[in-house]
């Protein structure tokens, strides 16, 4: 039975590169309304409000005092997540924050504690694992299509942020790098399908020490790399499955797949987990051909179009949780995936297997999607 959907008013914090894709994505959900945009750079907030027809704009403080705002969507750079999320929770706002949950595990623990002592809800990106591709893979696993899962591979290729982002410094500073910038999409997909990770062993390094920025509207010409840009890790899941991962901003070309999951009876091949949808392919032992599985949820947008770059499903997930539904992109899930990714560096530094302190439930599967406009 359909739950009663209430209207949820949203204030967006941060009017940078991904802002427009959030507004466009959020506007596809009838129950979500963007009523304010705020930024430390208030001129930027004003310009964003004008461009997208948002009724109010301000600095962060005014956003937190706006009684009409029920959910703060935090799309500031990672190094500001902890401080701004905690401030919003303390102001009584429900918060949805972009990935990573915080720039470090220590900061993320503070965020988790603030969420635990608040009556407000906290949700965190990525939300692409809520899309049809990962949900279809999850359904195939849960219905035994590949037998018992033995292992998986996940390969993060270069995002070349310096070629398209006007200010790619966050990609090469704390909270960035391929592991924390792109890794969350892959980890969310894997943990959603296979459950929590128990142990990590990794080697990491920096590739090129500087990056030349070539994006047309760049605000800097060169970026110094402060975090590892090439990482190789083995993840042992609590289930016993073992994943081999490569996360790199130094792989300029490759023919490696994105994610594959291997079971005793067959293999699943998943599309780019940075997008919501795409072909999920299955090949069972004895099959001559791969078969494309029928998606178990409706698509977020047409595959291969800019709609796949939009965001909003995670905010809808939070709004649904406020209305009494399951909260899938929840803080425990986000914290666990962050702890897994952060332990790459611990393993490299201390030359040992790292046992994870946190765990999480696999989020409830989705087999039907919320109504789009
Ligand atoms: N750009 C992308 O393609 C992309 C994709 C997926 C996720 N994300 C995530 O979205 C977040 C934002 O990324 P972006 O590329 O839009 O960043 P950006 O640097 O382009 O924009 C960030 C904005 O936040 C503002 N800001 C900084 N500190 C603030 C504070 N304390 N209070 C209010 N505003 C503040 C800045 O002035 C800026 O306008 C990051 O967590 C990133 O990982 C970005």
């Amino acid at each position: 039975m359909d739950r009663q959907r209430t209207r949820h008013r949203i204030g967006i914090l941060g009017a940078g590169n991904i802002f427009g894709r959030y507004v466009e994505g959020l506007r596809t959900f009838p129950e979500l309304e963007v009523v304010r945009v705020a930024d430390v750079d208030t001129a930027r907030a004003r310009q964003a409000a004008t461009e997208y027809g948002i009724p109010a704009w301000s600095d962060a403080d005014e956003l937190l005092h706006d009684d009409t705002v029920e959910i703060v969507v935090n799309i500031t750079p990672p190094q500001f997540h902890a401080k701004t999320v905690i401030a919003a929770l303390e102001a009584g706002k429900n918060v949805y924050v972009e990935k990573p949950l915080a720039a470090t595990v220590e900061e993320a623990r503070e965020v988790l504690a603030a969420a635990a002592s608040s009556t407000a809800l906290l949700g965190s990106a990525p939300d692409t694992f809520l899309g049809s591709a990962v949900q279809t893979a999850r359904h195939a696993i849960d219905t035994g299509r590949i037998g018992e899962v033995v292992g998986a591979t996940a390969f993060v290729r270069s995002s070349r942020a310096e070629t398209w982002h006007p200010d790619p410094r966050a990609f090469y500073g704390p909270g960035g790098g391929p592991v924390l910038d792109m890794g969350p999409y892959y980890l969310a997909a894997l943990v959603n399908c296979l459950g929590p990770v128990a142990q990590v062993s990794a080697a990491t390094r920096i590739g090129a020490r500087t990056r030349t920025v070539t994006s047309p509207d760049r605000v800097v010409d060169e970026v110094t790399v402060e975090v590892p840009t090439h990482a190789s890790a083995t993840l042992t899941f609590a289930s016993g499955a073992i994943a081999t991962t490569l996360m790199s901003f130094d792989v300029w070309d490759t023919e490696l797949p994105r994610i594959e999951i291997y079971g005793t009876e067959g293999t699943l091949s998943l599309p780019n987990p940075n997008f919501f949808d795409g072909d999920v392919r299955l090949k069972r032992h004895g099959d001559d051909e791969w078969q494309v599985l029928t998606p178990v949820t409706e698509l977020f947008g047409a595959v291969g179009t800019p709609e796949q770059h939009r965001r909003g499903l995670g905010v809808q997930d939070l709004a649904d949780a406020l209305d009494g539904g399951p909260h899938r992109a929840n803080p425990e899930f986000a914290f666990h995936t962050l702890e897994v990714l952060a332990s790459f560096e611990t393993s490299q530094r201390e030359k040992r297997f790292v046992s994870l302190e946190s765990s999480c439930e696999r989020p409830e599967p989705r087999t039907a999607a919320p109504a789009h406009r």
Side-chain angles (χ1 to χ4, degrees), residues 3-8 31 70 318-325:
R3 264 185 310 280
Q4 188 66 40
R5 292 191 191 285
T6 27
R7 202 159 177 75
H8 296 279
E31 71 273 33
E70 186 192 3
L318 176 70
D320 197 37
L322 288 169
D323 292 342

Side-chain angles (χ1 to χ4, degrees), residues 135-223:
Q135 294 297 323
T136 300
R138 163 80 178 265
H139 186 258
I141 292 166
D142 289 356
T143 51
R145 303 293 299 277
I146 60 168
E148 183 191 341
V149 176
V150 177
T153 49
F155 298 119
V156 176
R157 303 105 165 252
S158 177
S159 87
R160 305 186 192 190
E162 62 274 26
T163 64
W164 57 268
H165 198 291
D167 186 1
R169 283 175 290 191
F171 289 82
Y172 297 102
V179 177
L180 291 189
D181 180 62
M182 294 302 289
Y185 298 104
Y186 291 71
L187 249 293
L190 289 174
V191 173
N192 180 69
C193 287
L194 309 183
V197 176
Q199 206 172 54
V200 170
S201 157
T204 68
R205 60 161 290 179
I206 290 178
R209 296 262 157 194
T210 55
R211 298 273 175 154
T212 303
V213 184
T214 56
S215 57
D217 46 355
R218 62 188 169 275
V219 297
V220 288
D221 292 323
E222 194 172 79
V223 178

Side-chain angles (χ1 to χ4, degrees), residues 13-19 21 38-41 44 60 75-78 80-81 84 98-100 164-165 167 171 181 185 311:
L13 184 64
N17 184 271
I18 200 168
F19 172 81
R21 282 175 279 157
D39 200 296
V40 275
D41 183 344
R44 197 179 264 199
I75 47 175
T76 62
F80 303 110
H81 286 178
T84 51
E98 251 302 336
K99 51 79 196 161
W164 57 268
H165 198 291
D167 186 1
F171 289 82
D181 180 62
Y185 298 104
R311 293 291 182 259

Side-chain angles (χ1 to χ4, degrees), residues 8-237:
H8 296 279
R9 294 196 171 78
I10 292 168
I12 300 183
L13 184 64
N17 184 271
I18 200 168
F19 172 81
R21 282 175 279 157
Y22 258 94
V23 175
E24 286 163 7
L26 291 169
R27 284 180 172 164
T28 65
F29 297 99
E31 71 273 33
L32 305 181
E33 184 185 3
V34 180
V35 296
R36 181 178 286 271
V37 49
D39 200 296
V40 275
D41 183 344
T42 46
R44 197 179 264 199
R46 179 186 190 169
Q47 191 190 335
T50 308
E51 189 178 345
Y52 287 91
I54 297 167
W57 58 270
S58 66
D59 62 11
D61 204 42
E62 229 177 293
L63 166 70
L64 299 189
H65 288 98
D66 181 342
D67 291 339
T68 66
V69 170
E70 186 192 3
I71 300 173
V72 170
V73 172
N74 185 326
I75 47 175
T76 62
Q79 67 269 33
F80 303 110
H81 286 178
K83 196 171 158 227
T84 51
V85 169
I86 292 170
L89 287 169
E90 285 175 351
K93 303 296 185 196
N94 304 289
V95 183
Y96 180 82
V97 61
E98 251 302 336
K99 51 79 196 161
L101 181 60
T104 65
V105 171
E106 292 67 34
E107 285 184 0
R109 269 189 226 289
E110 291 170 23
V111 171
L112 218 51
S117 62
S118 167
T119 51
L121 284 187
L122 170 64
S124 178
D127 59 358
T128 46
F129 79 91
L130 301 170
S132 74
V134 174
Q135 294 297 323
T136 300
R138 163 80 178 265
H139 186 258
I141 292 166
D142 289 356
T143 51
R145 303 293 299 277
I146 60 168
E148 183 191 341
V149 176
V150 177
T153 49
F155 298 119
V156 176
R157 303 105 165 252
S158 177
S159 87
R160 305 186 192 190
E162 62 274 26
T163 64
W164 57 268
H165 198 291
D167 186 1
R169 283 175 290 191
F171 289 82
Y172 297 102
V179 177
L180 291 189
D181 180 62
M182 294 302 289
Y185 298 104
Y186 291 71
L187 249 293
L190 289 174
V191 173
N192 180 69
C193 287
L194 309 183
V197 176
Q199 206 172 54
V200 170
S201 157
T204 68
R205 60 161 290 179
I206 290 178
R209 296 262 157 194
T210 55
R211 298 273 175 154
T212 303
V213 184
T214 56
S215 57
D217 46 355
R218 62 188 169 275
V219 297
V220 288
D221 292 323
E222 194 172 79
V223 178
T224 303
V225 178
E226 298 170 49
V227 292
T229 49
H230 188 83
S232 175
T234 304
L235 316 182
T236 307
F237 288 78

